[in-house]
Amino acid sequence: NALADSPWRWYRRGGADILTRTWKEPAFPPSNYSLDILAYELTFSFLPGEPRQCVHVRWEVHMVEGHEQYQDSAWDPDPNSLWYVVEECERQLVPRENTTCRVTGLKSFFPYQLRVRERCTDYTFDSEWGYAPNFYTTMPIPAGPPLNVTLQPGSVWAFFFDVKWLPSVTGQCIFRTWLLESREVGQEEWVRHKCEAQRKRGTVSVYDAPFSLEQPICRVDFLGMNTTHEVRVKEACTDPNANSEWTYLPYLVTTIIASVAATAPENLTVSNETAYTFLLQWDPGEPNDCY
């Protein structure tokens, strides 16, 4: 019987009304990060915070290149770098209880920061960011230095000679090119030579890793007559941190003196004359020591 209800009693103190205020309780941020770091990837996990009034939607993961404590210093890779969303984790951190994510495509031996927060159906309940400790990715496993660097027999001439070698173990190197350099005895600067040889794999094994059955061969050229040179070669990778060490030719190489001149061209002919042009043709002579 509504007529039997009691009257209202107001919350009062000392004869005056008292106002009360309620507030929302957002989720607590993640904590207790665990990082397993490699050269080009990492796997991390974390402890979720108390959700309180949050109705979970997803975990949001951000990374940034560089460390805040290195900003404006020589160690800062990019002072203008911004936090970016790690989309790989959107798929891996489902449902809420799954708090382990693998991130790939990182740079080797590079500083990063990582942060995670919980997103809720009502953004006012989103947690604050939880920050993992700053970290560096590791150095990659480099390619092994080239093996058996030697002269190609019969290749020493007045202005060039050819060098060959065997590729070693690949490590984590993605092959880019061979670096071939020479230095004349008594000089300080090394000179780089064009080398288009590829890294081809065979079935023979060195230290349980395959290497090429076809030896790379490249030319050390544009040299002076009767000059003596050191030679070195290394494998260069798409990531310079994975480059091999230099391997040196174990002996010096001296070019010969060019003593036989090229013979004169033969059968010189002129044809197709017009008012302003004509076609000149000939047969080359023997190059002999000409290069």
Side-chain angles (χ1 to χ4, degrees):
N1 183 356
L3 295 176
D5 289 351
S6 74
W8 288 100
R9 172 67 68 181
W10 296 94
Y11 183 39
R12 303 171 64 87
R13 179 180 299 169
D17 294 339
I18 296 178
L19 301 179
T20 61
R21 175 177 296 175
T22 61
W23 58 90
K24 296 183 177 181
E25 293 186 325
F28 284 120
S31 59
N32 294 356
Y33 286 87
S34 174
L35 302 176
D36 183 12
I37 304 168
L38 299 175
Y40 303 113
E41 64 180 67
L42 73 99
T43 300
F44 73 90
S45 59
F46 56 89
L47 182 66
E50 175 64 39
R52 299 208 286 186
Q53 292 179 284
C54 170
V55 178
H56 178 82
V57 173
R58 61 188 171 90
W59 295 108
E60 185 174 2
V61 181
H62 284 187
M63 290 185 68
V64 67
E65 296 179 350
H67 294 163
E68 289 182 354
Q69 64 264 39
Y70 297 135
Q71 286 182 358
D72 302 321
S73 74
W75 278 96
D76 188 8
D78 182 1
N80 299 314
S81 60
L82 300 175
W83 290 95
Y84 61 89
V85 176
V86 183
E87 296 182 355
E88 291 175 279
C89 292
E90 296 285 333
R91 301 182 297 273
Q92 299 180 51
L93 299 179
V94 177
R96 184 181 190 273
E97 292 73 24
N98 191 352
T99 56
T100 298
C101 179
R102 176 173 173 260
V103 183
T104 60
L106 304 179
K107 301 175 185 179
S108 68
F109 194 58
F110 205 79
Y112 288 93
Q113 287 180 280
L114 172 72
R115 67 184 185 184
V116 183
R117 67 174 175 177
E118 186 169 8
R119 302 302 301 269
C120 312
T121 54
D122 182 342
Y123 75 92
T124 60
F125 294 119
D126 291 353
S127 76
E128 298 290 332
W129 290 104
Y131 289 80
N134 297 341
F135 64 92
Y136 270 83
T137 50
T138 63
M139 287 290 287
I141 301 172
L147 305 171
N148 301 338
V149 179
T150 186
L151 276 175
Q152 176 73 355
S155 71
V156 180
W157 294 88
F159 308 106
F160 67 88
F161 54 85
D162 296 332
V163 179
K164 61 181 181 179
W165 60 89
L166 289 174
S168 185
V169 293
T170 59
Q172 291 181 289
C173 171
I174 299 176
F175 176 80
R176 182 174 63 85
T177 190
W178 295 106
L179 301 182
L180 176 66
E181 296 183 348
S182 69
R183 180 172 64 181
E184 186 175 349
V185 172
Q187 301 297 317
E188 294 184 0
E189 297 294 327
W190 288 89
V191 177
R192 184 160 298 175
H193 303 275
K194 184 177 181 180
C195 181
E196 297 181 346
Q198 297 298 308
R199 189 188 219 282
K200 299 180 180 179
R201 295 177 179 232
T203 57
V204 179
S205 174
V206 175
Y207 307 121
D208 298 322
F211 72 90
S212 172
L213 294 176
E214 299 179 13
Q215 288 184 269
I217 300 176
C218 284
R219 177 157 292 180
V220 179
D221 54 5
F222 299 103
L223 307 176
M225 290 189 297
N226 195 32
T227 53
T228 302
H229 301 267
E230 300 174 80
V231 177
R232 64 183 184 181
V233 62
K234 73 186 297 185
E235 184 171 353
C237 314
T238 54
D239 177 6
N241 287 332
N243 288 359
S244 76
E245 297 292 333
W246 291 101
T247 297
Y248 290 77
L249 188 68
Y251 44 83
L252 301 176
V253 181
T254 302
T255 56
I256 64 175
I257 298 175
S259 57
V260 182
T263 60
E266 300 175 342
N267 301 325
L268 185 65
T269 61
V270 176
S271 60
N272 297 344
E273 298 93 340
T274 70
Y276 304 105
T277 64
F278 60 85
L279 178 64
L280 184 65
Q281 295 177 298
W282 65 89
D283 294 328
E286 292 298 325
N288 295 320
D289 289 337
C290 174
Y291 179 63

